[in-house]
PDB file of all heavy atoms in Angstrom:
ATOM      1  N   ILE A 149     -29.489 -22.556  11.939  1.00 95.00           N
ATOM      2  CA  ILE A 149     -30.192 -21.411  12.409  1.00 95.00           C
ATOM      3  C   ILE A 149     -29.308 -20.318  12.861  1.00 95.00           C
ATOM      4  O   ILE A 149     -28.215 -20.531  13.283  1.00 95.00           O
ATOM      5  CB  ILE A 149     -31.250 -21.775  13.601  1.00 95.00           C
ATOM      6  CG1 ILE A 149     -30.526 -22.214  14.801  1.00 95.00           C
ATOM      7  CG2 ILE A 149     -32.317 -22.807  13.038  1.00 95.00           C
ATOM      8  CD1 ILE A 149     -31.413 -22.425  16.013  1.00 95.00           C
ATOM      9  N   TYR A 150     -29.825 -19.059  12.751  1.00 95.00           N
ATOM     10  CA  TYR A 150     -29.059 -17.846  13.291  1.00 95.00           C
ATOM     11  C   TYR A 150     -29.483 -17.706  14.759  1.00 95.00           C
ATOM     12  O   TYR A 150     -30.653 -17.572  15.101  1.00 95.00           O
ATOM     13  CB  TYR A 150     -29.551 -16.644  12.525  1.00 95.00           C
ATOM     14  CG  TYR A 150     -28.932 -16.358  11.182  1.00 95.00           C
ATOM     15  CD1 TYR A 150     -29.653 -16.656  10.031  1.00 95.00           C
ATOM     16  CD2 TYR A 150     -27.660 -15.893  11.059  1.00 95.00           C
ATOM     17  CE1 TYR A 150     -29.101 -16.536   8.726  1.00 95.00           C
ATOM     18  CE2 TYR A 150     -27.068 -15.665   9.790  1.00 95.00           C
ATOM     19  CZ  TYR A 150     -27.882 -15.957   8.683  1.00 95.00           C
ATOM     20  OH  TYR A 150     -27.237 -15.788   7.472  1.00 95.00           O
ATOM     21  N   ASN A 151     -28.447 -17.751  15.591  1.00 93.00           N
ATOM     22  CA  ASN A 151     -28.690 -17.393  17.038  1.00 93.00           C
ATOM     23  C   ASN A 151     -28.274 -15.873  17.275  1.00 93.00           C
ATOM     24  O   ASN A 151     -28.785 -15.355  18.166  1.00 93.00           O
ATOM     25  CB  ASN A 151     -27.832 -18.302  17.927  1.00 93.00           C
ATOM     26  CG  ASN A 151     -28.580 -19.564  18.371  1.00 93.00           C
ATOM     27  OD1 ASN A 151     -29.663 -19.448  18.956  1.00 93.00           O
ATOM     28  ND2 ASN A 151     -28.006 -20.631  18.030  1.00 93.00           N
ATOM     29  N   SER A 152     -27.612 -15.324  16.318  1.00 92.00           N
ATOM     30  CA  SER A 152     -27.258 -13.861  16.311  1.00 92.00           C
ATOM     31  C   SER A 152     -27.082 -13.500  14.798  1.00 92.00           C
ATOM     32  O   SER A 152     -26.154 -14.015  14.198  1.00 92.00           O
ATOM     33  CB  SER A 152     -25.972 -13.554  17.122  1.00 92.00           C
ATOM     34  OG  SER A 152     -25.698 -12.216  17.005  1.00 92.00           O
ATOM     35  N   GLY A 153     -28.001 -12.737  14.330  1.00 91.00           N
ATOM     36  CA  GLY A 153     -27.851 -12.317  12.866  1.00 91.00           C
ATOM     37  C   GLY A 153     -26.931 -11.135  12.641  1.00 91.00           C
ATOM     38  O   GLY A 153     -26.332 -10.648  13.635  1.00 91.00           O
ATOM     39  N   PHE A 154     -26.636 -10.919  11.385  1.00 91.00           N
ATOM     40  CA  PHE A 154     -25.675  -9.864  11.095  1.00 91.00           C
ATOM     41  C   PHE A 154     -26.351  -8.452  11.500  1.00 91.00           C
ATOM     42  O   PHE A 154     -27.457  -8.280  11.324  1.00 91.00           O
ATOM     43  CB  PHE A 154     -25.376  -9.834   9.556  1.00 91.00           C
ATOM     44  CG  PHE A 154     -24.637 -10.963   9.070  1.00 91.00           C
ATOM     45  CD1 PHE A 154     -25.308 -12.013   8.413  1.00 91.00           C
ATOM     46  CD2 PHE A 154     -23.271 -11.091   9.223  1.00 91.00           C
ATOM     47  CE1 PHE A 154     -24.594 -13.154   8.009  1.00 91.00           C
ATOM     48  CE2 PHE A 154     -22.612 -12.120   8.866  1.00 91.00           C
ATOM     49  CZ  PHE A 154     -23.191 -13.251   8.213  1.00 91.00           C
ATOM     50  N   GLY A 155     -25.501  -7.708  12.153  1.00 84.00           N
ATOM     51  CA  GLY A 155     -25.904  -6.356  12.580  1.00 84.00           C
ATOM     52  C   GLY A 155     -24.803  -5.342  12.380  1.00 84.00           C
ATOM     53  O   GLY A 155     -23.944  -5.514  11.518  1.00 84.00           O
ATOM     54  N   ASP A 156     -24.756  -4.275  13.174  1.00 75.00           N
ATOM     55  CA  ASP A 156     -23.782  -3.268  13.052  1.00 75.00           C
ATOM     56  C   ASP A 156     -22.684  -3.461  14.073  1.00 75.00           C
ATOM     57  O   ASP A 156     -22.504  -2.496  14.978  1.00 75.00           O
ATOM     58  CB  ASP A 156     -24.381  -1.915  13.081  1.00 75.00           C
ATOM     59  CG  ASP A 156     -25.172  -1.517  11.842  1.00 75.00           C
ATOM     60  OD1 ASP A 156     -24.796  -2.135  10.765  1.00 75.00           O
ATOM     61  OD2 ASP A 156     -26.024  -0.815  11.955  1.00 75.00           O
ATOM     62  N   HIS A 157     -21.961  -4.505  14.220  1.00 77.00           N
ATOM     63  CA  HIS A 157     -20.956  -4.680  15.148  1.00 77.00           C
ATOM     64  C   HIS A 157     -19.580  -4.060  14.744  1.00 77.00           C
ATOM     65  O   HIS A 157     -18.700  -3.818  15.648  1.00 77.00           O
ATOM     66  CB  HIS A 157     -20.681  -6.266  15.458  1.00 77.00           C
ATOM     67  CG  HIS A 157     -21.901  -6.922  15.826  1.00 77.00           C
ATOM     68  ND1 HIS A 157     -22.528  -6.610  17.086  1.00 77.00           N
ATOM     69  CD2 HIS A 157     -22.577  -7.925  15.375  1.00 77.00           C
ATOM     70  CE1 HIS A 157     -23.578  -7.385  17.350  1.00 77.00           C
ATOM     71  NE2 HIS A 157     -23.622  -8.285  16.273  1.00 77.00           N
ATOM     72  N   PHE A 158     -19.465  -3.734  13.484  1.00 77.00           N
ATOM     73  CA  PHE A 158     -18.165  -3.180  13.031  1.00 77.00           C
ATOM     74  C   PHE A 158     -18.500  -2.172  11.947  1.00 77.00           C
ATOM     75  O   PHE A 158     -18.110  -2.332  10.763  1.00 77.00           O
ATOM     76  CB  PHE A 158     -17.366  -4.298  12.456  1.00 77.00           C
ATOM     77  CG  PHE A 158     -15.886  -4.186  12.409  1.00 77.00           C
ATOM     78  CD1 PHE A 158     -15.184  -4.834  13.383  1.00 77.00           C
ATOM     79  CD2 PHE A 158     -15.230  -3.373  11.605  1.00 77.00           C
ATOM     80  CE1 PHE A 158     -13.723  -4.743  13.461  1.00 77.00           C
ATOM     81  CE2 PHE A 158     -13.785  -3.308  11.534  1.00 77.00           C
ATOM     82  CZ  PHE A 158     -13.042  -3.910  12.509  1.00 77.00           C
ATOM     83  N   PRO A 159     -19.160  -1.046  12.279  1.00 75.00           N
ATOM     84  CA  PRO A 159     -19.735  -0.158  11.202  1.00 75.00           C
ATOM     85  C   PRO A 159     -18.707   0.938  10.797  1.00 75.00           C
ATOM     86  O   PRO A 159     -18.992   1.610   9.805  1.00 75.00           O
ATOM     87  CB  PRO A 159     -20.909   0.417  11.886  1.00 75.00           C
ATOM     88  CG  PRO A 159     -20.509   0.465  13.397  1.00 75.00           C
ATOM     89  CD  PRO A 159     -19.590  -0.738  13.637  1.00 75.00           C
ATOM     90  N   GLU A 160     -17.678   1.191  11.491  1.00 77.00           N
ATOM     91  CA  GLU A 160     -16.827   2.292  11.261  1.00 77.00           C
ATOM     92  C   GLU A 160     -15.992   2.205  10.042  1.00 77.00           C
ATOM     93  O   GLU A 160     -15.484   1.059   9.695  1.00 77.00           O
ATOM     94  CB  GLU A 160     -15.995   2.656  12.457  1.00 77.00           C
ATOM     95  CG  GLU A 160     -16.632   2.820  13.807  1.00 77.00           C
ATOM     96  CD  GLU A 160     -16.607   1.694  14.568  1.00 77.00           C
ATOM     97  OE1 GLU A 160     -16.512   0.582  14.005  1.00 77.00           O
ATOM     98  OE2 GLU A 160     -16.740   1.708  15.846  1.00 77.00           O
ATOM     99  N   ASN A 161     -15.687   3.224   9.242  1.00 80.00           N
ATOM    100  CA  ASN A 161     -14.636   3.240   8.178  1.00 80.00           C
ATOM    101  C   ASN A 161     -13.381   3.456   8.825  1.00 80.00           C
ATOM    102  O   ASN A 161     -12.742   4.526   8.758  1.00 80.00           O
ATOM    103  CB  ASN A 161     -14.980   4.363   7.183  1.00 80.00           C
ATOM    104  CG  ASN A 161     -16.142   4.042   6.312  1.00 80.00           C
ATOM    105  OD1 ASN A 161     -16.524   2.918   6.067  1.00 80.00           O
ATOM    106  ND2 ASN A 161     -16.809   4.994   5.791  1.00 80.00           N
ATOM    107  N   ILE A 162     -12.782   2.379   9.440  1.00 89.00           N
ATOM    108  CA  ILE A 162     -11.514   2.421  10.115  1.00 89.00           C
ATOM    109  C   ILE A 162     -10.476   1.844   9.260  1.00 89.00           C
ATOM    110  O   ILE A 162     -10.602   1.204   8.251  1.00 89.00           O
ATOM    111  CB  ILE A 162     -11.654   1.788  11.471  1.00 89.00           C
ATOM    112  CG1 ILE A 162     -11.796   0.251  11.214  1.00 89.00           C
ATOM    113  CG2 ILE A 162     -12.747   2.333  12.358  1.00 89.00           C
ATOM    114  CD1 ILE A 162     -11.618  -0.555  12.509  1.00 89.00           C
TER     115      ILE A 162
END
Side-chain angles (χ1 to χ4, degrees):
I149 61 171
Y150 283 101
N151 270 301
S152 174
F154 292 103
D156 286 333
H157 298 300
F158 208 101
E160 305 95 335
N161 282 335
I162 65 168

